[in-house]
């Protein structure tokens, strides 16, 4: 990423030790249901923004990496454990986990992969009864929570 590049999107890990910037819109946004992504994210699926290396930079800290297969590396924060990316070894792109962006609402998936491992209940999630955090915990508990999470900005 050059100094003349304009930042389009930013993000980072939960503790703020790792931050990144993106200077072009992602090529695609996807969800992956494969078993490896389930384990790497600790969730029923992972969601990624596919970005050219030239349009991406780590702006604070350097993530640790785990070689999850013979073709891929997964970056994460060694301090707080936040999963950050999936990247093919020697590939031209990095796939950043959409939940790590400061504005994840701007990253809407348009395709799914690894559907052989998709959990049957995932398709009905939007129909489940739901509550906001305030409704779930109540104002007294929410008001007393002290977050140690880095804010969604630098």
């Amino acid at each position: 990423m050059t100094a003349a590049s304009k930042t389009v999107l930013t993000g980072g890990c939960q503790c703020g030790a790792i931050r990144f910037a993106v200077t072009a819109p992602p090529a695609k946004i996807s969800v992956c249901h494969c078993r490896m992504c389930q384990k790497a994210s600790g969730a029923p699926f992972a969601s990624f923004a596919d970005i050219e290396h030239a349009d991406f930079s780590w702006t604070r800290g350097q993530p640790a990496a785990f070689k999850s297969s013979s073709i891929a590396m997964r970056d994460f924060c060694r301090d707080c454990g936040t999963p950050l990316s999936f990247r093919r070894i020697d590939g031209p792109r990095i796939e950043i986990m959409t939940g790590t962006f400061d504005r994840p609402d701007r990253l809407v998936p348009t395709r799914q992969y690894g559907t052989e491992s998709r959990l049957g209940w995932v398709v009905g999630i939007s129909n489940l009864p739901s509550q906001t955090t305030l409704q779930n915990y109540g104002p007294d508990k929410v008001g007393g929570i002290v977050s140690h999470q880095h804010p969604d900005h630098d």
Side-chain angles (χ1 to χ4, degrees), residues 44-98:
F45 56 85
S47 179
F48 296 101
D50 193 330
I51 301 157
E52 295 289 330
H53 279 298
D55 299 326
F56 177 84
S57 66
W58 300 110
T59 58
R60 181 184 310 141
Q62 286 294 312
F66 172 66
K67 187 176 182 181
S68 61
S69 72
S70 60
I71 64 165
M73 300 291 288
R74 292 180 188 264
D75 297 310
F76 63 95
C77 175
R78 75 181 72 240
D79 294 341
C80 67
T82 301
L84 296 163
S85 76
F86 166 88
R87 57 188 163 88
R88 293 190 190 276
I89 297 169
D90 299 325
R93 294 179 304 282
I94 186 167
E95 295 187 44
I96 300 297
M97 298 197 72
T98 59

Side-chain angles (χ1 to χ4, degrees), residues 12-145:
C13 68
Q14 189 170 19
C15 73
I18 308 292
R19 295 289 294 163
F20 61 81
V22 178
T23 58
K28 70 179 176 193
I29 313 298
S30 63
V31 170
C32 185
H33 299 274
C34 83
R35 190 65 185 125
M36 194 176 290
C37 282
Q38 288 173 349
K39 291 191 84 150
S41 66
F45 56 85
S47 179
F48 296 101
D50 193 330
I51 301 157
E52 295 289 330
H53 279 298
D55 299 326
F56 177 84
S57 66
W58 300 110
T59 58
R60 181 184 310 141
Q62 286 294 312
F66 172 66
K67 187 176 182 181
S68 61
S69 72
S70 60
I71 64 165
M73 300 291 288
R74 292 180 188 264
D75 297 310
F76 63 95
C77 175
R78 75 181 72 240
D79 294 341
C80 67
T82 301
L84 296 163
S85 76
F86 166 88
R87 57 188 163 88
R88 293 190 190 276
I89 297 169
D90 299 325
R93 294 179 304 282
I94 186 167
E95 295 187 44
I96 300 297
M97 298 197 72
T98 59
T100 64
F101 282 87
D102 294 336
R103 293 290 311 271
D105 58 314
R106 294 182 177 173
L107 301 151
V108 179
T110 57
R111 59 189 75 183
Q112 299 181 70
Y113 299 105
T115 55
E116 71 281 354
S117 298
R118 183 174 51 212
L119 301 175
W121 55 263
V122 168
V123 294
I125 248 176
S126 64
N127 297 320
L128 294 175
S130 63
Q131 294 180 320
T132 66
T133 304
L134 183 61
Q135 290 169 327
N136 187 34
Y137 287 106
D140 291 338
K141 276 196 177 176
V142 169
I145 295 172

